[in-house]
Amino acid sequence: MKKFVVFATLIFAVAMVGQAQQAVRFGFQLSPTFNWMSTDDNTVNTNGTNLGLKLGLVGEFYFQENYAVTTGLGFSFNSGGTLLHDRGGSYWANSEVPESCRFEMENGPGSNLKYSIQYVEIPVGLKLRTREFGYIRYFFEPNLGLGFRTQANGDIRNSEDQDACTDINIRSDVGLFNVFWGVGGGIEYSVSESTSLVAGLGAQFGFVDVTKDDDLVFVDGSGSNTAKEDSKGVVRGIVLRLGVMF
């Protein structure tokens, strides 16, 4: 969170000391994403990706001809991924998991848990673009973002009863905030004096734990010897940026 505040403050300071604002542009994006989760625990491993979507409004505030502070407001759908826990345990302890599904998690060799999370996101970035070559400009854009979790559902992928163990409400086991940094680049294609199509590719890296650490791991395969599950689970992704600016 502190990194987000410092970065945003620096960006706005650059804008304030730059030349007078020359232009403001607004637009929207419809960007497919490929998301996954990773942890700092070698017994909890990445085991699947989510195909998601970013949808929302984008604003660019130019303080020089080719330099802009960027921000926006949007939704990130189906963020998350699948984590494979090598050991059985009482996972998603704060959620109403059906008893048959919880029995499988506690008595099986491990659990394959899929997270499907929806966020409202507020990114802040600095856009650097080239002069126009014909109808095309190239751009580079580092950014930071803050996400607010609105929904979270989970599936137990290795369950024998897929109907009961799918689409479980796990909001209580997912943190309210996700903070991430990213970098991206691409092209703008001018279709008129004021309208451009945007296409690019970016990477996004979460750096706060989005999973709550209220679960118990069965160390010896049974409930007689348990330990707190305190791995740090972060969300990462690749963004295929598609949009239009006016």
Side-chain angles (χ1 to χ4, degrees):
M1 184 69 71
K2 290 182 179 179
K3 292 181 180 180
F4 177 83
V5 173
V6 171
F7 185 81
T9 302
L10 287 174
I11 287 179
F12 284 110
V14 169
M16 292 297 294
V17 301
Q19 296 181 0
Q21 182 174 295
Q22 297 185 359
V24 178
R25 303 179 72 199
F26 294 99
F28 62 88
Q29 68 164 330
L30 183 70
S31 301
T33 62
F34 299 90
N35 307 297
W36 66 94
M37 295 179 69
S38 62
T39 78
D40 58 355
D41 188 332
N42 59 15
T43 67
V44 185
N45 299 293
T46 303
N47 198 42
T49 60
N50 287 4
L51 176 61
L53 181 70
K54 288 184 181 291
L55 176 65
L57 301 176
V58 180
E60 298 178 350
F61 303 87
Y62 285 84
F63 53 92
Q64 291 188 15
E65 181 180 359
N66 293 317
Y67 303 93
V69 173
T70 63
T71 186
L73 180 66
F75 289 93
S76 177
F77 297 97
N78 204 32
S79 185
T82 301
L83 293 176
L84 176 60
H85 297 254
D86 291 344
R87 297 177 293 185
S90 179
Y91 301 113
W92 294 339
N94 301 310
S95 301
E96 295 183 3
V97 178
E99 287 301 321
S100 61
C101 308
R102 191 167 294 285
F103 180 84
E104 290 186 26
M105 288 194 292
E106 294 177 353
N107 294 277
S111 297
N112 209 25
L113 306 181
K114 179 182 178 181
Y115 292 76
S116 299
I117 312 170
Q118 180 177 307
Y119 291 103
V120 174
E121 293 184 342
I122 304 174
V124 179
L126 183 64
K127 185 173 185 177
L128 315 172
R129 67 179 187 178
T130 66
R131 64 181 179 86
E132 194 168 46
F133 299 95
Y135 297 102
I136 292 177
R137 293 178 187 264
Y138 301 93
F139 68 88
F140 174 74
E141 185 178 345
N143 61 77
L144 275 174
L146 177 62
F148 300 87
R149 183 260 300 139
T150 57
Q151 295 182 21
N153 294 320
D155 300 344
I156 303 174
R157 302 296 296 273
N158 58 332
S159 171
E160 294 183 1
D161 187 358
Q162 284 297 307
D163 291 337
C165 303
T166 298
D167 205 27
I168 302 168
N169 184 347
I170 58 169
R171 275 206 321 186
S172 298
D173 285 291
V174 175
L176 179 60
F177 299 106
N178 181 34
V179 184
F180 57 88
W181 68 272
V183 63
I187 63 172
E188 294 183 8
Y189 181 81
S190 297
V191 295
S192 71
E193 184 177 346
S194 60
T195 304
S196 300
L197 301 179
V198 179
L201 190 66
Q204 182 174 301
F205 305 91
F207 56 86
V208 299
D209 191 356
V210 301
T211 61
K212 293 188 178 179
D213 298 323
D214 297 326
D215 302 337
L216 294 177
V217 177
F218 295 168
V219 177
D220 58 2
S222 70
S224 60
N225 187 10
T226 62
K228 184 177 181 181
E229 202 289 296
D230 60 354
S231 64
K232 179 181 179 180
V234 298
V235 179
R236 298 176 175 175
I238 300 296
V239 181
L240 177 60
R241 183 172 174 180
L242 301 174
V244 59
M245 300 298 300
F246 303 100

